[in-house]
Amino acid sequence: MLKHRFICIIFSVVSGLSHSCDLNDTTAVAATLPSLLDDGPPRKISLSNNIQLDIPDAEGVLRMHSADSSVLLDQLTNWPTETGQISSIKAQPIVLDQNYDGIADAVYTIDSSGRLWFVPLTRSGFAEPELVADFSDIAAEFRQPLQLLQTLAPVGVGALQRQTMLLIIASMAAGGDTLLVVKHLSPQRVVIQLSDLTDRTYLSDAEAVSGIAEQLWQQVQLGAGWYVSMDKRITAVPQVYAGVVYLSSAEVAAVQPDCSLAENTELELHALHLHHAGAVYARRNWQIPALERGKLVLQKNPQGELELSLHNEQQQQSVQADLLAITPDCANCAVALTADQFPRISRLATFQAEQDGH
């Protein structure tokens, strides 16, 4: 078991939204639904939002098409709001397969103003949307893809609870991005607000020396999630490996609308504990070589060891070796992540090896 000390690095530089680039996949989200007949084969579908439908300025819409014939199967245009409408959906939705049977059980989507929706799926299409969270009052645009994890997470002393966690990027109007991690248990009694999340933007000096305090750890466990604000732009879709959230960032003004980087741009790699956003390594962030439009990938290197790399269409470069995994032994405990189970451990997100983490 390894216990690590760390320091907190405070970001600087603020700019506007003009250089926010789009990290979404350009294609519709693929999923599988049961057959309309009891003994029929599963149906392959695709889910399209305002961007795929080429109506980015219209009210929020989610459509379901047959993947084979492109026939419209269902659509969501009437939402449970006062007007029946929501803001445009520009972020790529994500599908939940609750029991790992290959059939989609629900879809999560967020509109550009910050309302996060849980939409159960039936044989015939969409069921009634449920509002999970509302971040529309924080002056941000929500246009980046959602990430979903199913975890066993602590909810008190010695207790682990099955949870769905959503990773959400908010592009702040004042400049820079905020990463929000939201827990969801359905059915949910209250709509989550930003004030329900624990602010983990800065770590105290005491935490830098000794790790997260037990009282704060209990608060985060019992809360709805956490967030980290930065005055930099996130440049790669966050990835979770062995309970560590990895993402890269650059100065706001250095990130161009096409996701290219200004000359001499420096990137930072961030590594945050999934369950409380504390440090897993000696620091939560450090500089790495810049790579334009790079995607974070866990892979084996030629020596057979696991490493985290940035990939684009032309090249790749290693950004972190000697990877660590969180453990349930304590809030600050981590162990070395070895390659003996790779590629099975490609998205291990929790304290145990769950099916959706492979």
Side-chain angles (χ1 to χ4, degrees):
M1 179 188 305
L2 305 174
K3 295 187 180 181
H4 301 277
R5 301 174 183 269
F6 55 88
I7 60 174
C8 175
I9 296 179
I10 299 176
F11 300 126
S12 62
V13 181
V14 174
S15 184
L17 273 172
S18 58
H19 294 300
S20 177
C21 71
D22 187 355
L23 301 177
N24 292 280
D25 194 310
T26 57
T27 60
V29 174
T32 303
L33 288 186
S35 171
L36 294 174
L37 304 174
D38 289 339
D39 57 351
R43 296 181 299 153
K44 294 183 179 181
I45 63 166
S46 62
L47 301 170
S48 302
N49 61 14
N50 289 64
I51 299 302
Q52 279 86 44
L53 298 172
D54 199 24
I55 46 172
D57 298 323
E59 291 81 12
V61 59
L62 198 60
R63 289 182 185 168
M64 178 188 300
H65 292 86
S66 168
D68 299 323
S69 64
S70 299
V71 170
L72 178 64
L73 302 176
D74 198 6
Q75 64 178 345
L76 266 176
T77 56
N78 186 27
W79 302 79
T81 64
E82 291 183 1
T83 64
Q85 299 174 340
I86 61 172
S87 301
S88 176
I89 301 175
K90 300 178 180 179
Q92 184 176 331
I94 195 153
V95 169
L96 172 67
D97 179 2
Q98 187 72 49
N99 57 358
Y100 315 114
D101 63 355
I103 303 297
D105 297 302
V107 59
Y108 288 92
T109 191
I110 191 167
D111 67 22
S112 58
S113 65
R115 284 174 290 196
L116 175 66
W117 299 92
F118 172 76
V119 186
L121 297 174
T122 68
R123 286 173 180 252
S124 56
F126 299 113
E128 181 73 8
E130 170 192 332
L131 184 60
V132 174
D134 187 351
F135 303 119
S136 59
D137 60 349
I138 65 173
E141 182 183 25
F142 296 78
R143 59 174 296 177
Q144 304 295 12
L146 294 176
Q147 291 287 86
L148 178 151
L149 304 162
Q150 293 188 74
T151 76
L152 280 182
V155 293
V157 178
L160 291 177
Q161 182 181 50
R162 190 170 184 81
Q163 295 177 341
T164 299
M165 302 179 75
L166 284 302
L167 277 64
I168 303 167
I169 297 174
S171 296
M172 311 304 291
D177 290 335
T178 294
L179 177 67
L180 304 96
V181 174
V182 174
K183 305 174 189 176
H184 179 227
L185 294 172
S186 183
Q188 184 170 289
R189 295 181 180 178
V190 297
V191 176
I192 296 170
Q193 311 285 332
L194 186 67
S195 58
D196 298 316
L197 307 183
T198 303
D199 184 354
R200 297 287 286 156
T201 302
Y202 304 112
L203 304 184
S204 68
D205 293 339
E207 182 171 345
V209 174
S210 305
I212 189 170
E214 184 62 27
Q215 182 177 1
L216 178 56
W217 175 219
Q218 292 289 326
Q219 174 188 326
V220 176
Q221 288 180 54
L222 298 173
W226 53 263
Y227 69 92
V228 172
S229 299
M230 54 188 72
D231 54 10
K232 293 193 174 183
R233 189 69 70 207
I234 294 174
T235 60
V237 176
Q239 301 294 328
V240 181
Y241 297 120
V244 184
V245 183
Y246 296 97
L247 60 148
S248 60
S249 72
E251 301 288 357
V252 175
V255 182
Q256 306 304 314
D258 64 352
C259 293
S260 62
L261 302 173
E263 189 175 356
N264 299 321
T265 296
E266 294 182 338
L267 285 181
E268 283 194 348
L269 180 69
H270 305 255
L272 312 174
H273 193 294
L274 173 65
H275 296 290
H276 57 65
V280 179
Y281 297 88
R283 296 175 293 172
R284 287 203 300 180
N285 53 290
W286 56 92
Q287 288 188 351
I288 59 174
L291 184 66
E292 288 193 343
R293 303 180 183 91
K295 296 181 179 180
L296 290 165
V297 178
L298 179 68
Q299 64 176 21
K300 271 186 179 180
N301 63 21
Q303 291 74 44
E305 301 168 332
L306 288 182
E307 65 180 18
L308 187 68
S309 299
L310 272 177
H311 288 222
N312 63 20
E313 294 180 354
Q314 289 78 37
Q315 58 183 313
Q316 64 182 56
Q317 60 187 31
S318 175
V319 295
Q320 178 63 28
D322 301 322
L323 296 174
L324 298 176
I326 67 170
T327 79
D329 302 287
C330 72
N332 305 293
C333 293
V335 296
L337 180 61
T338 61
D340 54 357
Q341 293 178 297
F342 189 80
R344 188 173 67 85
I345 299 180
S346 60
R347 272 187 62 82
L348 179 60
T350 65
F351 291 138
Q352 70 172 24
E354 296 188 49
Q355 293 184 50
D356 72 319
H358 299 175

